[in-house]
Amino acid sequence: GIQVEQSPPDLILQEGANSTLRCNFSDSVNNLQWFHQNPWGQLINLFYIPSGTKQNGRLSATTVATERYSLLYISSSQTTDSGVYFCAVLPTQGGSEKLVFGKGTKLTVNP
Amino acid sequence: ETGVTQSPTHLIKTRGQQVTLRCSSQSGHNTVSWYQQALGQGPQFIFQYYREEENGRGNFPPRFSGLQFPNYSSELNVNALELDDSALYLCASSWTPPDEQYFGPGTRLTVT
């Protein structure tokens, strides 16, 4: 099955710093989503981005489907950005029903 | 617009027992997917229901079963609970596959 790798696994920043999170996937996909999981376990939708670039406030994402990667940019980080960021893809092969998640990037933003 | 809701929030069961978890999909969505998230891991797909029919299943044994009702809400049933079933169970709803999925707050199940 498709492999989804996220890097780095852990990231520690000072408030105000910028960061880039990466997601590589091993096969073609119909869909790619970025999530932020808060300390209570809720997955918050950040981006639905099978290709191209999107921006939402301090966050932006770019997916290059032909090269099988996606990047999540966080600018001017805040302590509330702390948590785990997941990339999830919907593989083209084997039907279109299941999201396959990476292992996540744990972000800690210190004041 | 009401988001995805799940009940209960937390549950403690004993090995061998059975459990039912519930999910109400977001208004207008007809597809519900269930995921299991073990501690420190990404969510793993259990199965999906689309218009009351199972529409794909992950690598989970048959003791994991589900239902979708005419109002598109869903249940996840787990029989003969094992210690390894302790996890966060997440429900997601979407319009039609492969549309964007929206997740509920989860049910944290502990099996002792």
Side-chain angles (χ1 to χ4, degrees), chain A residues 30-31 33 35 37 39-43 45 47-48 86 90 96-99 101-103, chain B residues 33 35 37 41-43 45 48 55-56 88 90 97-105 108:
Chain A
N30 285 330
N31 173 10
Q33 292 186 244
F35 298 94
Q37 189 164 43
W40 298 272
Q42 172 99 48
L43 283 170
N45 288 44
F47 294 101
Y48 170 71
F86 286 104
L90 212 58
S96 61
E97 67 276 4
K98 68 172 185 182
L99 279 176
F101 283 76
K103 292 186 176 181
Chain B
S33 305
Y35 295 82
Q37 187 178 19
Q41 302 294 316
F45 176 77
Q48 183 182 84
N55 184 45
L88 179 67
L90 295 162
D99 199 9
E100 184 174 6
Q101 295 188 22
Y102 293 85
F103 283 79
R108 196 166 295 278

Side-chain angles (χ1 to χ4, degrees), chain A residues 35-89:
Chain A
F35 298 94
H36 175 211
Q37 189 164 43
N38 67 23
W40 298 272
Q42 172 99 48
L43 283 170
I44 308 297
N45 288 44
L46 297 177
F47 294 101
Y48 170 71
I49 185 167
S51 63
T53 297
K54 291 187 177 180
Q55 180 153 9
N56 184 4
R58 296 182 296 104
L59 274 59
S60 64
T62 295
T63 297
V64 184
T66 52
E67 297 187 20
R68 299 181 183 166
Y69 73 89
S70 184
L71 302 174
L72 177 68
Y73 304 95
I74 305 174
S75 64
S76 304
S77 57
Q78 301 175 357
T79 56
T80 51
D81 294 332
S82 295
V84 182
Y85 289 79
F86 286 104
C87 164
V89 302

Side-chain angles (χ1 to χ4, degrees), chain B residues 22-110:
Chain B
R22 294 178 175 84
C23 171
S24 291
S25 59
Q26 185 169 312
S27 174
H29 288 176
N30 60 15
T31 303
V32 172
S33 305
W34 286 92
Y35 295 82
Q36 180 197 66
Q37 187 178 19
L39 204 59
Q41 302 294 316
Q44 299 288 317
F45 176 77
I46 303 175
F47 44 58
Q48 183 182 84
Y49 281 85
Y50 172 54
R51 293 183 176 177
E52 302 179 57
E53 298 286 331
E54 189 178 285
N55 184 45
R57 186 178 183 93
N59 294 326
F60 282 82
R63 60 190 184 83
F64 285 77
S65 63
L67 288 175
Q68 187 178 32
F69 299 100
N71 67 355
Y72 303 128
S73 65
S74 177
E75 286 183 355
L76 163 65
N77 299 290
V78 187
N79 294 323
L81 283 167
E82 301 177 0
L83 297 179
D84 283 349
D85 295 333
S86 295
L88 179 67
Y89 288 84
L90 295 162
C91 162
S93 77
S94 57
W95 174 224
T96 53
D99 199 9
E100 184 174 6
Q101 295 188 22
Y102 293 85
F103 283 79
T107 293
R108 196 166 295 278
L109 173 64
T110 302

